[in-house]
């Protein structure tokens, strides 16, 4: 086996999976409330009333977990001019012509844009969710604001679900990535191929 490089600590991985599990639970319980086609998902949460009670609490805990995750990964997600160039060469990335692409640090531009869309989207979900949270908070807000919040909540959730579907797909598709978040390590070849600038930083080679 080739040399392995540490990519995530145990704390980072725990934090990631807690948020991932809560995101899926918040998503399933939210979809169950959104449309009758998804109502069967209430079976996972103990029926309709329990789904309605649990959904906002799951959301709040997910938000708190995400704040911790975002703080850990904030610095490594700053957008650089190399990232903008990488986005312009999206075609080379999709066709796996990595050699033509600018060198990437710990995260590539696609990962960074996903990160920043979550940084905007998850607080939007929390704020809009509080505005429509009956019976605790909603009575403090005017009806027009609740109407806006319902739309913002559904739109933000929809965009993030699509983003996370791409995230999961990419994690599986780029061979050798899932182990980064399960075992914490990646092969030297993986690091050199996908994140060459990061590889040089951590190995000094
Ligand atoms: C549900 C299934 C999920 C799977 C299988 C998955 C898998 C992974 C993997 C393998 C990595 C490491 C990628 C690398 O090191 O290059 C990663 C990174 C990351 N994941 Fe996930 N993930 C999931 C859900 C989520 C969710 C729900 C969130 C947040 C709401 C999230 C946020 C992140 C972040 C912030 C990173 C760091 C890279 C970046 O900034 O994009 N993940 N994930």
């Amino acid at each position: 086996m080739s040399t392995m490089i540490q990519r995530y600590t145990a704390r980072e991985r725990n934090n990631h999976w807690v948020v991932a599990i809560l995101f899926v639970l918040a998503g399933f319980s939210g979809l169950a409330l959104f449309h009758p086609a998804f109502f069967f998902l209430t079976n996972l949460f103990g029926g309709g009333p329990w789904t309605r009670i649990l959904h906002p609490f799951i959301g709040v805990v997910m938000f708190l977990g995400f704040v911790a995750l975002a703080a850990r990964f904030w610095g490594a997600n700053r957008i650089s001019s190399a990232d903008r160039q990488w986005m312009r060469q999206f075609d080379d990335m999709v066709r796996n012509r990595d050699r033509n692409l600018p060198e990437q640090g710990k995260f590539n531009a696609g990962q960074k844009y996903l990160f920043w869309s979550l940084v905007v989207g998850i607080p939007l979900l929390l704020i809009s969710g509080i505005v429509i949270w009956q019976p605790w908070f909603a009575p403090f807000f005017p009806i027009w604001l609740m109407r806006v919040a319902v739309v913002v909540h559904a739109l933000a959730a929809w965009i993030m679900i699509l983003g996370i579907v791409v995230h999961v797909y990419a994690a599986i598709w780029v061979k050798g990535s899932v182990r980064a978040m399960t075992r914490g390590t990646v092969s030297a070849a993986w690091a050199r191929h996908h994140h060459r600038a990061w590889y040089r930083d951590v190995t000094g080679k």
Side-chain angles (χ1 to χ4, degrees):
M1 198 196 267
S2 70
T3 353
M4 287 296 168
I5 299 175
Q6 181 80 26
R7 187 157 168 84
Y8 297 110
T9 63
R11 277 170 200 273
E12 288 170 332
R13 283 176 278 145
N14 280 333
N15 197 164
H16 173 270
W17 290 118
V18 166
V19 173
I21 290 164
L22 290 170
F23 185 94
V24 171
L25 292 177
F28 281 174
S29 54
L31 285 170
L33 302 169
F34 181 71
H35 193 277
F38 297 114
F39 189 76
F40 70 96
L41 291 167
T42 56
N43 289 309
L44 297 171
F45 302 92
W50 270 113
T51 305
R52 168 58 186 80
I53 291 166
L54 289 173
H55 173 76
F57 288 101
I58 296 170
V60 169
V61 182
M62 178 193 72
F63 171 81
L64 296 176
F66 180 75
V67 169
L69 190 69
R72 291 178 201 281
F73 294 156
W74 193 273
N77 277 290
R78 294 224 169 81
I79 308 281
S80 66
S81 54
D83 292 322
R84 280 187 274 270
Q85 184 54 35
W86 190 93
M87 286 308 276
R88 271 181 234 123
Q89 287 174 242
F90 207 72
D91 196 49
D92 282 330
M93 185 275 292
V94 172
R95 289 170 199 278
N96 203 24
R97 292 189 296 239
D98 287 46
R99 254 173 279 108
N100 299 344
L101 292 164
E103 289 190 355
Q104 296 293 298
K106 181 155 189 176
F107 298 127
N108 66 41
Q111 293 176 301
K112 290 180 182 178
Y113 284 112
L114 171 77
F115 178 83
W116 294 114
S117 56
L118 294 169
V119 164
V120 173
I122 289 183
L124 265 184
L125 270 189
L126 180 81
I127 295 164
S128 56
I130 286 176
V131 172
I132 56 178
W133 194 346
Q134 299 276 13
W136 313 113
F137 305 107
F140 296 110
F141 300 101
I143 184 72
W144 66 265
L145 188 61
M146 289 172 64
R147 287 178 179 145
V148 172
V150 172
V151 177
V152 169
H153 201 72
L155 266 181
W158 180 237
I159 291 168
M160 272 181 297
I161 290 170
L162 291 183
I164 291 300
V165 167
V166 175
H167 175 69
V168 174
Y169 182 73
I172 296 167
W173 180 51
V174 180
K175 198 165 171 284
S177 299
V178 171
R179 64 166 299 132
M181 243 340 148
T182 51
R183 278 171 277 180
T185 53
V186 289
S187 72
W190 183 96
R192 238 182 354 249
H193 186 68
H194 299 293
H195 300 275
R196 192 173 292 251
W198 176 70
Y199 170 78
R200 272 198 276 97
D201 269 2
V202 290
T203 61
K205 286 181 195 157

